[in-house]
Amino acid sequence: MFISFYLHIPFIYQLCVQYNFEGRYDIVKFVKLVGSSGLYLHLRIGPYVCAEWNFGGFPVWLRDIPGIEFRTDNAPFKDEMQRFVKKIVDLMQKEMLFSWQGGPIIMLQIENEYGNVESSFGQRGKDYVKWAARMALELDAGVPWVMCQQADAPDIIINACNGFYCDGFWPNSANKPKLWTEDWNGWFASWGGRTPKRPVEDIAFAVARFFQRGGSFHNYYMYFGGTNFGRSSGGPFYITSYDYDAPIDEYGLLSQPKWGHLKELHAAIKLCEPALVAVDSPQYIKLGPMQEAHVYRVKESLYSTQSGNGSSCSAFLANIDEHKTASVTFLGQVYKLPPWSVSILPDCRTTVFNTAKVGAQTSIKTVEFDLPLFRNISVSQPLMVQNKISYVPRTWMTLKEPISVWSKNNFTIQGVLEHLNVTKDHSDYLWRITRINVSAEDISFWEENQVSPTLSIDSMRDILRIFVNGQLIGSVIGHWVKVVQPIQLLQGYNDLVLLSQTVGLQNYGAFLEKDGAGFKGQVKLTGFKNGEIDLSEYSWTYQVGLRGEFQKIYTIDESEKAEWTDLTPGASPSTFTWYKTFFDAPNGENPVALDLGSMGKGQAWVNGHHIGRYWTRVAPKDGCGKCDYRGHYHTSKCATNCGNPTQIWYHIPRSWLQASNNLLVLFEETGGNPFEISVKSRSTQTICAEVSESHYPSLQNWSHSDFIDQNSKNKMTPEMHLHCDDGHTISSIEFASYGTPRGSCQMFSQGQCHAPNSLALVSKACQGKGSCVIRILNSAFGGDPCRGFVKTLAVEAKCAPSSTTSSSQL
């Protein structure tokens, strides 16, 4: 097994480059952990990584180097890139982490998906690719180098595929293996967008097709997505969660059936290993108009000397028809292939897995209220918990953020400056402040013509807040959109404040260094008696960031120095306001989530750790519906969460928590109700499974020798495997029926055929255990409950922490 890892290492540019390998950035510790876990590592150095990471993984100071142009034949960029790549390779060699040194690193990557943007740079792009390849090889890492999405990769570099499907990809030389460096088994989400989901049947189909058609190396992107803490999410507008619908979710819990079905898939492919590694290319056999087989057959003499036990023939049978099941004849036997599926035959006779037949359990994850979020609860007011939502009286403190100049670090200059040139991305926020003088003639002109003055900006990204005389009078959200905002001005001097905000810097595309932030083009006021006012001719005072942000009032020490005041429960929602409180960690070891569904937009910190940006921007109501795994996947197919905020739950790692007195600080921009915030634990509380007599025996029971021993195969039967999260056991069986049950998870019902002892048998086998196995066999249920029908076992079970389960059985 191997793990593929993008490298995000902060480095600071001063007189010389300073690297940060501390804490969460300890790359050496991570690589050693990979090795100690028995895994191999594909280290993708980049240094451009995309990954929906802020600025594609580049440090923002890079754009300030004189004469620099990113990712092209440009000397300043190549110098910095070579410095970084050499630093990482030298560090890995020093720590003995390459495979030839006994370490886990088997392969490296230079650049990333450059072929998608190379044409933008013309000949300089082609020259850059050749330079990057030479530079990488000259570092003498001793392992192969890869470029993904790079059809013109030089001979010394392996070009690889990224995408939802890569079975049709071929490297640019017959001497190179077929690599799939990014199998997009899900997709990322944007604020105000639907939540993408990719059916596991389609993912399994894509992977099986890849190996069916000669694939050598495959990597899921993502297998575990995690969380983009702090301000690390890219943009524009990518959410803090990077769950990615991955087999292991953001909280470290298994996403079922995705995890289980893919585990079975790879167990089936592993059974084909003797033939797969011994044959350079498979034999193609057409089985029908949209059906085909690829056969890996080893000559007996070669097989017997090189492979040992195992099968000398393995086959993949594919039905690429999106609509119809097909019956095909292969080597004299008839096989039924569901639409858009692949069957895997490790011995060219026995089907052990079909990508469309899912027997893995389904897990329903929930959040639960463990303890009151806030302490100091009034005895006179009752504590009430209803539907796992807490209505506990709480204690909050508040502090207003000034809508004005707040530090000595401000400066005044004529003209409208570009956002990143001022902030250097030290903050999302940049304040621009100027004064507009309105004459009596202007007021009369507006009244007589029934018009209002208008702020006009040619182009703006990502968020603009407009204040006049201390009042928020408008907001604009978009990616390089035109601003036309009517404003109300008084006679005399008026304070105009423009607050531009970033919500993740651009992370993909050519010319990242030129993308910038804030405003582009003209900034002017229209509608005045004497015509337009060009605001670029005005003097502006610039202030970077928030006062509370730079005073670090989100940390335990600095929070005590701030002038907080008590917040009353009846207070109106307030904009540009800081909030703080303390909470106790939920009991147990389940991962922890912060519910910010009652808030607007802002940022959150726990014990000084930056949880990330939050925003309750709502997804469109349409675009979600029934999901059919059949046919090519795209990012809007199988979308979920329509009509709801894209994200309300935010991951708090337990390592950042203490048992009590945890400091929670929020900066709220648009107004929300902190009294409805709660901290909850997250776990899998409901598990379901459906397995029929027509399912294949569990791959856990197969070994290579089973394909030689026909008697062993004949004794195998399908099985249902149920398991709870670590530290949890099956507390009850809510439903069990062997026969012809109807419905789906949490909506099962008995059909016309039902074995009366189903519930008792499953309860006896599973209750009180962390996992259990039930054979799908008539004799196990006291006989055949309905002859002539294919029987199915459907089960719904509840999981609970082991201590809770044990107590309930006493």
Side-chain angles (χ1 to χ4, degrees), residues 408-516:
K408 296 180 180 179
N409 292 328
N410 70 82
F411 64 92
T412 301
I413 192 172
Q414 180 180 328
V416 178
L417 303 181
E418 192 271 336
H419 182 106
L420 287 180
N421 285 341
V422 181
T423 68
K424 308 302 182 184
D425 200 38
H426 292 305
S427 172
D428 284 352
Y429 308 94
L430 176 61
W431 303 88
R432 298 173 173 87
I433 305 165
T434 193
R435 276 194 160 186
I436 309 297
N437 188 22
V438 175
S439 67
E441 289 80 6
D442 289 322
I443 298 293
S444 298
F445 177 77
W446 296 333
E447 292 174 349
E448 291 170 4
N449 294 277
Q450 296 184 340
V451 295
S452 297
T454 299
L455 173 68
S456 174
I457 302 175
D458 285 350
S459 188
M460 181 282 307
R461 66 156 293 190
D462 297 329
I463 297 178
L464 171 64
R465 311 285 188 196
I466 305 165
F467 300 83
V468 175
N469 298 323
Q471 299 299 311
L472 178 64
I473 57 96
S475 298
V476 182
I477 300 171
H479 185 65
W480 298 126
V481 297
K482 185 174 179 62
V483 176
V484 180
Q485 175 67 50
I487 61 177
Q488 296 293 326
L489 299 175
L490 304 175
Q491 183 176 340
Y493 284 102
N494 294 260
D495 290 330
L496 175 63
V497 178
L498 303 181
L499 172 62
S500 59
Q501 300 174 224
T502 53
V503 189
L505 300 185
Q506 190 78 19
N507 61 263
Y508 180 77
F511 312 115
L512 283 182
E513 74 281 6
K514 299 177 182 178
D515 185 69

Side-chain angles (χ1 to χ4, degrees), residues 534-732:
D534 184 357
L535 293 177
S536 65
E537 298 179 354
Y538 274 51
S539 291
W540 291 83
T541 298
Y542 290 84
Q543 176 75 70
V544 176
L546 309 169
R547 182 175 65 182
E549 182 181 22
F550 280 80
Q551 290 179 347
K552 298 184 178 180
I553 64 173
Y554 50 81
T555 63
I556 295 174
D557 291 341
E558 299 303 322
S559 174
E560 297 300 321
K561 302 175 185 177
E563 297 179 355
W564 300 93
T565 59
D566 291 335
L567 179 67
T568 59
S572 299
S574 180
T575 60
F576 293 87
T577 302
W578 292 86
Y579 298 104
K580 85 163 183 176
T581 193
F582 292 88
F583 68 94
D584 295 341
N587 289 328
E589 298 180 355
N590 291 337
V592 178
L594 177 66
D595 181 356
L596 295 176
S598 65
M599 302 304 290
K601 180 187 179 297
Q603 300 182 40
W605 293 261
V606 172
N607 292 333
H609 297 283
H610 198 172
I611 297 300
R613 301 182 184 97
Y614 67 83
W615 198 357
T616 49
R617 201 175 187 196
V618 176
K621 293 182 179 180
D622 59 346
C624 298
K626 187 176 181 181
C627 177
D628 190 338
Y629 78 89
R630 298 174 296 181
H632 283 86
Y633 179 77
H634 50 82
T635 57
S636 59
K637 181 181 181 181
C638 297
T640 63
N641 203 41
C642 287
N644 297 311
T646 308
Q647 182 176 359
I648 63 171
W649 299 103
Y650 296 83
H651 183 204
I652 309 175
R654 277 201 176 264
S655 61
W656 291 358
L657 294 175
Q658 51 199 23
S660 60
N661 292 319
N662 294 284
L663 173 65
L664 170 62
V665 175
L666 308 176
F667 173 67
E668 173 58 47
E669 300 172 19
T670 62
N673 185 0
F675 289 99
E676 294 183 9
I677 293 174
S678 58
V679 172
K680 303 182 181 182
S681 63
R682 187 177 179 91
S683 65
T684 300
Q685 293 189 351
T686 300
I687 56 176
C688 301
E690 271 188 286
V691 181
S692 74
E693 293 176 304
S694 65
H695 277 78
Y696 305 113
S698 172
L699 269 298
Q700 297 180 31
N701 297 326
W702 289 102
S703 65
H704 292 299
S705 61
D706 292 323
F707 296 105
I708 301 173
D709 185 355
Q710 189 67 34
N711 291 327
S712 297
K713 289 191 291 184
N714 293 337
K715 295 177 182 179
M716 292 186 182
T717 61
E719 296 174 345
M720 175 179 289
H721 290 252
L722 297 174
H723 57 88
C724 298
D725 298 337
D726 290 344
H728 293 69
T729 54
I730 298 172
S731 57
S732 65

